[in-house]
Amino acid sequence: MSADFSELKIYEYEIPLRKELKLQRGVLRERKGLILEHHGIYAEISPLPEFSRENLADAKNEIITFRNFISSEHADACISDSGESGKRNEILQYAMSALKPQCPSVQFAIWILMHPLSGVSRKTAYDFILGNPSESLALFRKIVSRYEAERQCYGENVKSGLSVCGNSEAGNECSGEYPERIIKLKIGLYPRNDELMMLKEMVKILEEHEKTSSVRIRLVLDANLSQTPESVLDYFSTTADFIKYIEDPCQDIAGLRRIRHDLPVGFDELFRSGQEGGMLSAIKALGSSDTLVVKPGLTDNIHELLNLYLNRNSIRNVPLNMITDDSTDSDTENHADNDYRKLNLPGLTLSSAFETAVGIDYIERLSEFLSLNPPGTDTLKFFPDDSIAPCQIINRYSKELR
């Protein structure tokens, strides 16, 4: 038996955060999850409290069952004479088909193992601010100042033909125009009047900024379904000239559309809840100005959605160790051709569910590979400096599950 290809190592980690994160119904003081290692490829399983449908115990049981399956005699049946990456993927695909994991975090981790994106660069994330209104406003000022400094560096480097400030999407463009910048903030965590006052100050900063700078800055407000259609309008009217979209503004989207049909919405939790009617109906719920925001580790059947965007870009015949379509049977292909190809797929932003550097690294590479929007992965600042690599997480914060 080819044990080298069937061995899956599982490490359980617990990492204290630098600062507790305020959620809608509690706080997050440490991050718990699992790191997987399969033939030199790392992946992560980290259900997010309050947001994931499974808990860590559920995911742990499922991935242990998966590991035991591929380590058993069943794995012999699927090993062919294909190359190294082919053998690895054959074993994983065989186990996926046989076991059909139900936990979204497990589904995505196995996708990562099968699609390592080894040679793909990382797409630069947008900035994310999380804190009380006073802290958020102070950080906002610093970020806006940083953008202007980066723009000046970018312009000089473009003129001289040099790479630009370590910014992947800017460097790829080299058009002489500094890319649009996005800043995301959480709303609904603090008293509404305090948040609205904060946003008014931010708008003043942006208005002054635009008088002297060509850097275009737009806001994403994430409400986590905390608002009503009426209260959403308070936030929108305050920031309308600078808003990119409001993410998960409220439960009653139909009611919101009746009041303000042109308000751009980001579908995150709304999309996941809409999946109960199937992927197709969930996507059709988005309007032309809306954005699909996906946390891959929280999204059921994530492979279906990612395959849509692969097919959209007509990506074919790429190396197996870069990307392997794990849904290549004729039924799936026909389904995509007959139904999904008729859709105008919305803009897609992949977002962090507060994963470690293992999960963040992959989301940024996947965003670059699929030519998606800048990812929402500016969350590693909440982790200690000694947890930025798989070996650090494994050696300092983990124990192996045998």
Side-chain angles (χ1 to χ4, degrees):
M1 180 176 177
S2 301
D4 286 345
F5 297 104
S6 61
E7 184 180 16
L8 174 64
K9 293 183 178 180
I10 306 172
Y11 303 92
E12 184 170 11
Y13 70 79
E14 181 174 344
I15 303 175
L17 299 179
R18 286 179 168 179
K19 176 184 176 182
E20 67 179 28
L21 302 178
K22 185 173 182 180
L23 306 176
Q24 293 292 341
R25 296 183 293 276
V27 294
L28 192 65
R29 296 182 175 87
E30 67 277 321
R31 200 65 177 98
K32 300 178 181 180
L34 307 171
I35 300 296
L36 310 183
E37 182 183 359
H38 186 248
H39 202 62
I41 306 299
Y42 293 95
E44 179 174 356
I45 296 173
S46 50
L48 182 61
E50 291 192 23
F51 295 94
S52 294
R53 77 181 191 192
E54 77 270 24
N55 57 37
L56 182 57
D58 296 330
K60 188 192 304 185
N61 290 335
E62 198 164 75
I63 195 61
I64 288 175
T65 299
F66 188 92
R67 178 195 64 186
N68 294 343
F69 184 89
I70 67 172
S71 299
S72 71
E73 61 185 14
H74 297 288
D76 282 337
C78 68
I79 297 177
S80 68
D81 293 328
S82 58
E84 179 177 304
S85 61
K87 291 179 180 179
R88 182 181 67 240
N89 281 15
E90 284 174 357
I91 291 173
L92 296 174
Q93 181 59 57
Y94 180 76
M96 279 286 288
S97 300
L99 299 178
K100 295 180 173 57
Q102 296 301 302
C103 294
S105 59
V106 175
Q107 294 172 5
F108 184 51
I110 297 171
W111 165 279
I112 294 174
L113 295 179
M114 295 181 66
H115 311 72
L117 301 182
S118 303
V120 178
S121 61
R122 296 162 60 182
K123 197 176 190 78
T124 303
Y126 58 70
D127 283 284
F128 173 49
I129 296 176
L130 181 61
N132 64 46
S134 177
E135 294 170 334
S136 297
L137 185 57
L139 182 54
F140 183 84
R141 294 180 188 275
K142 292 181 180 179
I143 291 173
V144 172
S145 296
R146 192 190 81 219
Y147 289 161
E148 182 57 29
E150 287 179 354
R151 183 201 64 79
Q152 293 176 9
C153 174
Y154 175 81
E156 291 300 319
N157 284 340
V158 167
K159 287 179 183 179
S160 59
L162 300 175
S163 61
V164 287
C165 300
N167 184 305
S168 65
E169 68 262 37
N172 289 336
E173 289 175 8
C174 289
S175 63
E177 293 184 5
Y178 187 74
E180 176 183 88
R181 284 311 190 202
I182 297 171
I183 301 176
K184 177 177 175 176
L185 305 102
K186 292 280 188 179
I187 60 173
L189 296 177
Y190 297 93
R192 185 186 308 171
N193 287 341
D194 292 348
E195 291 185 337
L196 291 174
M197 287 297 295
M198 173 194 71
L199 291 172
K200 288 177 182 178
E201 289 300 312
M202 290 179 175
V203 167
K204 288 179 182 179
I205 293 171
L206 294 179
E207 288 173 341
E208 289 299 314
H209 171 79
E210 289 202 341
K211 291 178 182 179
T212 59
S213 175
S214 61
V215 179
R216 178 182 170 90
I217 301 174
R218 291 297 176 260
L219 302 175
V220 169
L221 306 181
D222 185 358
N224 289 126
L225 304 177
S226 64
Q227 303 299 306
T228 65
E230 293 75 19
S231 67
V232 169
L233 295 186
D234 293 336
Y235 290 96
F236 180 65
S237 62
T238 301
T239 59
D241 291 340
F242 297 96
I243 198 74
K244 186 77 171 179
Y245 56 82
I246 300 182
E247 186 175 326
D248 290 333
C250 59
Q251 292 280 3
D252 185 10
I253 294 298
L256 178 61
R257 300 286 199 206
R258 287 192 294 269
I259 299 173
R260 190 68 188 251
H261 66 87
D262 61 338
L263 192 155
V265 174
F267 282 66
D268 181 2
E269 294 179 71
L270 287 168
F271 174 73
R272 293 199 299 276
S273 62
Q275 280 189 277
E276 295 176 0
M279 188 74 72
L280 184 62
S281 62
I283 291 177
K284 283 184 173 180
L286 277 71
S288 59
S289 63
D290 296 333
T291 299
L292 182 56
V293 183
V294 169
K295 294 179 174 63
L298 274 61
T299 304
D300 193 24
N301 295 319
I302 186 63
H303 63 283
E304 292 184 14
L305 181 68
L306 296 178
N307 282 331
L308 285 184
Y309 284 82
L310 279 171
N311 291 331
R312 174 204 65 178
N313 292 337
S314 298
I315 296 173
R316 294 290 187 271
N317 301 320
V318 293
L320 189 60
N321 69 331
M322 292 280 288
I323 188 79
T324 303
D325 187 347
D326 59 350
S327 300
T328 55
D329 59 276
S330 58
D331 290 341
T332 302
E333 289 293 332
N334 290 336
H335 192 309
D337 289 341
N338 295 334
D339 292 326
Y340 294 117
R341 291 291 180 89
K342 299 176 184 178
L343 289 175
N344 290 320
L345 291 175
L348 175 59
T349 298
L350 298 182
S351 183
S352 160
F354 289 100
E355 292 92 349
T356 71
V358 173
I360 295 299
D361 178 86
Y362 188 81
I363 291 172
E364 292 177 349
R365 294 180 191 279
L366 186 58
S367 296
E368 177 70 20
F369 186 73
L370 295 180
S371 300
L372 304 180
N373 298 332
T377 50
D378 182 29
T379 52
L380 290 181
K381 57 193 175 189
F382 296 101
F383 287 80
D385 290 335
D386 62 354
S387 63
I388 60 173
C391 60
Q392 290 179 319
I393 298 171
I394 290 171
N395 293 335
R396 300 179 184 180
Y397 295 102
S398 305
K399 61 180 181 180
E400 185 173 358
L401 300 181
R402 300 186 181 277

